[in-house]
Amino acid sequence: MASTSNLAFFPVALFLFIGCAAAQLSTNYYSSSCPNLFLTVEPVVQSAISKEKRMGASVLRLFFHDCFVNGCDGSLLLDDTANFTGEKNATPNKNSARGFDVIDDIKTAVEKACPGIVSCADILAIASRDSVVILGGPSWNVKLGRRDALTASMSGANNNIPAPSMDLNVLTSKFSAQGLSTTDMVTLSGGHTIGFARCTNFRSHIYNDTNIDSSFAQSTQSNCPLTSGSGDDNLAPLDLQTEYIFDNNYYKNLINKKGLLHSDQELYNNGSTDSQVQTYSTNPVKFKSDFAAAMIKMGDISPLTGSQGEIRKNCRVVN
């Protein structure tokens, strides 16, 4: 167990490490080696979302779950093998993480244009930005230069990724451990303005919690039976108003006690984050601007750079 002095030093050390590694990332990293990178990625993302609008949220979630486990290094993309256990079957990802085929399709297109140059970690970072933009959200200049991890961590995925059952103080600590502030947490949670969640992740909230609109709870219960194991994979939109549009309705829902997940409603539950939720509910421009900045900050978490890691040929396996 770490000593008290080591624990006190940890946030500073983490910040310095993130800052040092992130400084090696650049928005023009591939400007010479793969000048048409963005033009290669975007049509593949657009095609995937045109086929299934839900896919935009799925790709964004992949990036989030990747970055929270040993940094934004593409480790989540690795398949399990006979002698390797990845992160895809960790509790937060099993039967829910999706969009891997889209990343594969992008990688194939990018390899044709610039073989052996662009990492899977960077492809995921670009695809998450494109997904948000295509669904009506803000754009940002993606910092690039990450390399791909040679390993993955199931325990890291199980322990580091925030769970839908968590209270505000635990959520805050999970984000803080990644060098992200409480403000960043509320902002990045706005990614739930798009996408869906499985019944197993919101069942307790709609049946047991009291900080929920009763009519919303009842209507959601119709597609999510009380009994565990029954309808576990049934889906409900995280934003009941515009699940395919990146807007600020997620925050309006929270004020009306219509957050789908317990962890969502914790952001507006007579606590320290209430005022930020209120601001975003009435100021969509600020939310989108802050979201773009927070995504850049999250993308800076512990990247592998220089000679670290590798550039995978196939995002699912190490070279």
Side-chain angles (χ1 to χ4, degrees):
M1 182 175 288
S3 68
T4 303
S5 60
N6 284 340
L7 284 172
F9 174 73
F10 178 72
V12 178
L14 177 66
F15 175 79
L16 291 175
F17 177 74
I18 290 175
C20 180
Q24 299 180 48
L25 301 181
S26 166
T27 57
N28 61 359
Y29 187 83
Y30 298 108
S31 59
S32 297
S33 58
C34 193
N36 293 320
L37 175 59
F38 297 122
L39 295 176
T40 304
V41 174
E42 198 275 342
V44 183
V45 179
Q46 179 69 70
S47 176
I49 294 176
S50 295
K51 291 175 184 175
E52 184 192 10
K53 282 194 173 182
R54 180 185 168 205
M55 190 54 70
S58 298
V59 170
L60 176 61
R61 184 168 182 258
L62 286 183
F63 186 54
F64 175 77
H65 282 209
D66 183 43
C67 290
F68 265 61
V69 183
N70 297 330
C72 310
D73 60 2
S75 59
L76 173 58
L77 306 176
L78 292 170
D79 284 342
D80 288 359
T81 66
N83 53 10
F84 173 81
T85 302
E87 298 165 16
K88 290 183 177 180
N89 285 306
T91 300
N93 299 323
K94 189 174 183 178
N95 298 324
S96 65
R98 56 199 302 276
F100 299 108
D101 291 346
V102 177
I103 303 304
D104 290 341
D105 290 344
I106 297 171
K107 180 64 171 176
T108 298
V110 170
E111 284 297 301
K112 287 180 180 178
C114 318
I117 299 295
V118 183
S119 68
C120 298
D122 277 346
I123 284 174
L124 183 53
I126 298 168
S128 64
R129 187 273 310 271
D130 289 352
S131 294
V132 169
V133 173
I134 290 167
L135 294 176
S139 184
W140 59 92
N141 294 322
V142 181
K143 292 164 69 172
L144 302 167
R146 303 170 189 83
R147 289 170 64 85
D148 295 320
L150 299 172
T151 186
S153 175
M154 175 179 272
S155 62
N158 283 326
N159 294 323
N160 297 355
I161 298 172
S165 59
M166 288 178 176
D167 292 337
L168 183 61
N169 62 327
V170 183
L171 291 168
T172 301
S173 69
K174 292 293 183 183
F175 277 78
S176 178
Q178 303 299 330
L180 297 169
S181 68
T182 302
T183 300
D184 296 326
M185 176 185 73
V186 176
T187 304
L188 291 168
S189 295
H192 284 178
T193 183
I194 52 176
F196 292 75
R198 297 159 60 226
C199 167
T200 187
N201 287 325
F202 58 81
R203 176 182 281 123
S204 179
H205 180 51
I206 63 173
Y207 283 102
N208 301 327
D209 287 349
T210 57
N211 60 337
I212 184 170
D213 178 83
S214 58
S215 61
F216 170 66
Q218 290 173 6
S219 64
T220 309
Q221 289 168 7
S222 66
N223 193 43
C224 182
L226 174 61
T227 305
S228 179
S230 176
D232 283 2
D233 293 331
N234 292 352
L235 300 175
L238 288 159
D239 173 357
L240 76 162
Q241 299 186 68
T242 51
E243 65 266 34
Y244 298 123
I245 300 174
F246 197 98
D247 55 24
N248 68 328
N249 280 335
Y250 167 79
Y251 299 102
K252 296 179 182 179
N253 296 334
L254 297 186
I255 288 176
N256 291 321
K257 296 186 177 181
K258 295 181 179 181
L260 182 65
L261 306 178
H262 174 85
S263 56
D264 286 330
Q265 197 58 58
E266 278 292 285
L267 303 184
Y268 190 80
N269 191 32
N270 298 314
S272 61
T273 55
D274 282 12
S275 61
Q276 189 178 350
V277 171
Q278 290 173 329
T279 296
Y280 286 161
S281 73
T282 59
N283 194 335
V285 173
K286 178 170 176 53
F287 161 55
K288 289 184 176 182
S289 174
D290 288 356
F291 186 85
M295 285 295 291
I296 293 171
K297 185 175 180 181
M298 185 174 75
D300 282 346
I301 299 175
S302 305
L304 299 176
T305 57
S307 60
Q308 298 171 311
E310 66 180 9
I311 304 298
R312 279 184 223 142
K313 297 175 182 177
N314 177 341
C315 292
R316 294 176 179 263
V317 295
V318 296
N319 294 341

